[in-house]
Amino acid sequence: MARPTDTWGPQYFLASVGAGGLAVSFFLWLYMWVPHPGQQVPVFEDIASAWGKGDPLQMIMIAVAMTAIAAAAFVNLKLLIWNLGRFSSFRLTPAYDRLRQTNGEAQLTALPLAIAMAINVGFVLGLVFVPGLWGVVEYLFPLAIAAFLVTGLLALAQLGTFYGRVFGTGGFDWAGNNSFSQVMPAFALGMVGVGLSASAAMSANPVTAGAAIVLAVVFLVISALIAMLAVVLGLVSMAQHGTSVEGAPSLTIIVPLMTVLGILTLRVTHGMGAHFDAHAAPGDYLWMLSAFLGVQIAFLLFGVAVLRAQGYLGRFVTGPEVSAGSFGLVCPGVALAVMLQFFINKGLVGAGLIDKFGTAYWALSALSVAAQMSAVWIVLVLYRKHFRPDRSVPATAAE
């Protein structure tokens, strides 16, 4: 029996990215709800200590979070390996050569995007499941910086090839640019930047933190510039030609982009305060996170309006049609859940507007969990639809 994934395209890397994002989102439960004195993030010892206190609700939360992290990380790694194998074969086909002569060449940056997400997931797994990791973490930060930098250089090299062809010899398809698919390179660079910023926020070594700050900000700026250009050009094309049905999920790509750039900004700001006396007040985090959340809401409403007008969910998620691009719908739910967690805990609680673990706190946190569960549902539906043999689904429709 055929499967939609028998016809492979670079957008299937988003399946791996979405699973990795879910692992990170469940880590936020531990990050925000488990005490972790002495370091910026909870580690195995903090989780074990919270478990040992025997609070039934907290024990359930920890069990669910750790199980979900392990399961999502497994799927993330499995899909990354599968995608790398398919990509290796795809590069030998005429379809790859044709892709590199079209606007779709930018979608190849989904490769470094998926790699950067997998590195982030690996760090989460180490924090949650490896005892004593924090004692050697300063040795790991330079390795993480090197890994993210290599991944970022891969993305820049791919982007340089694409832009060199487009601006050097022409050939950009303006009619086919009727989506936000050209934001993909910005998302990949932003994911690299947020990975670099982890060392900026958590390293106790000023040299390590300083190097991470500089590199993270460089990737932030490049990502933001590319995103702004791609959004403007995409809106112009969409206004003239309407939105591409298969590219419609890309209209929500700004939501995860704002999450990674927002967390990057928070981490860099913390690192600047910890090492270079450039401290931010609690109110600074409030307005900063509010701004990122506002951009997310605006583009989410825009994307949902277009998706509803096209009947996208009923066609490509729950309906008979298939498209690899539909995996792009996982990222907005995950990203909104993560951003809401930071907005609630670092913004509202940090500024003293609400009490942590109070009624308002849990009411708002429920919105984050709801967004997270919507992403889980989409992953389960799409995974079953694309990766399981089904005689009712034509394999050739996955292009």
Side-chain angles (χ1 to χ4, degrees), residues 47-72:
I47 299 168
S49 175
W51 182 272
K53 293 180 180 178
D55 183 335
L57 291 178
Q58 190 168 54
M59 292 175 70
I60 293 173
M61 179 274 292
I62 291 173
V64 172
M66 294 183 70
T67 302
I69 290 169

Side-chain angles (χ1 to χ4, degrees), residues 67-105:
T67 302
I69 290 169
F74 172 78
V75 175
N76 166 255
L77 181 60
K78 175 184 177 181
L79 291 180
L80 177 60
I81 294 172
W82 175 79
N83 273 294
L84 289 174
R86 296 302 301 267
F87 177 64
S88 179
S89 300
F90 180 71
R91 292 185 63 182
L92 304 177
T93 66
Y96 175 72
D97 296 326
R98 292 194 298 268
L99 179 68
R100 295 193 60 187
Q101 300 304 314
T102 67
N103 294 4
E105 184 178 7

Side-chain angles (χ1 to χ4, degrees), residues 212-223:
I213 287 171
V214 171
L215 291 171
V217 171
V218 168
F219 278 95
L220 182 152
V221 171
I222 299 175
S223 174

Side-chain angles (χ1 to χ4, degrees), residues 17-26 28-29 187 249 251-257 259 293 296 300 304 307 313 326-341 365-379:
V17 173
L22 282 176
V24 174
S25 72
F26 279 101
L28 265 290
W29 288 18
F187 190 17
L251 301 186
T252 61
I253 197 173
I254 299 298
V255 179
L257 178 62
T259 291
L293 183 60
Q296 287 183 314
L300 188 62
V304 168
L307 289 168
L313 291 180
S326 59
F327 280 97
L329 295 176
V330 178
C331 296
V334 172
L336 185 62
V338 171
M339 178 57 77
L340 284 172
Q341 287 279 17
S365 295
L367 297 177
S368 173
V369 174
Q372 187 180 23
M373 292 304 108
S374 72
V376 171
W377 174 77
I378 293 176
V379 165

Side-chain angles (χ1 to χ4, degrees), residues 89-129:
S89 300
F90 180 71
R91 292 185 63 182
L92 304 177
T93 66
Y96 175 72
D97 296 326
R98 292 194 298 268
L99 179 68
R100 295 193 60 187
Q101 300 304 314
T102 67
N103 294 4
E105 184 178 7
Q107 301 305 304
L108 294 175
T109 55
L111 167 61
L113 170 63
I115 294 173
M117 174 59 84
I119 299 172
N120 282 314
V121 171
F123 194 69
V124 166
L125 289 175
L127 293 173
V128 174
F129 295 104

Side-chain angles (χ1 to χ4, degrees), residues 172-258:
F172 189 77
D173 183 5
W174 292 101
N177 189 44
N178 52 345
S179 68
F180 286 163
S181 59
Q182 295 301 314
V183 181
M184 181 73 76
F187 190 17
L189 295 172
M191 187 66 71
V192 170
V194 77
L196 288 166
S197 68
S199 299
M202 291 185 277
S203 176
N205 186 315
V207 175
T208 301
I213 287 171
V214 171
L215 291 171
V217 171
V218 168
F219 278 95
L220 182 152
V221 171
I222 299 175
S223 174
L225 289 174
I226 292 172
M228 287 188 290
L229 175 63
V231 166
V232 171
L233 296 181
L235 286 172
V236 172
S237 294
M238 283 186 284
Q240 294 177 336
H241 306 286
T243 302
S244 163
V245 175
E246 295 219 358
S250 68
L251 301 186
T252 61
I253 197 173
I254 299 298
V255 179
L257 178 62
M258 288 298 101

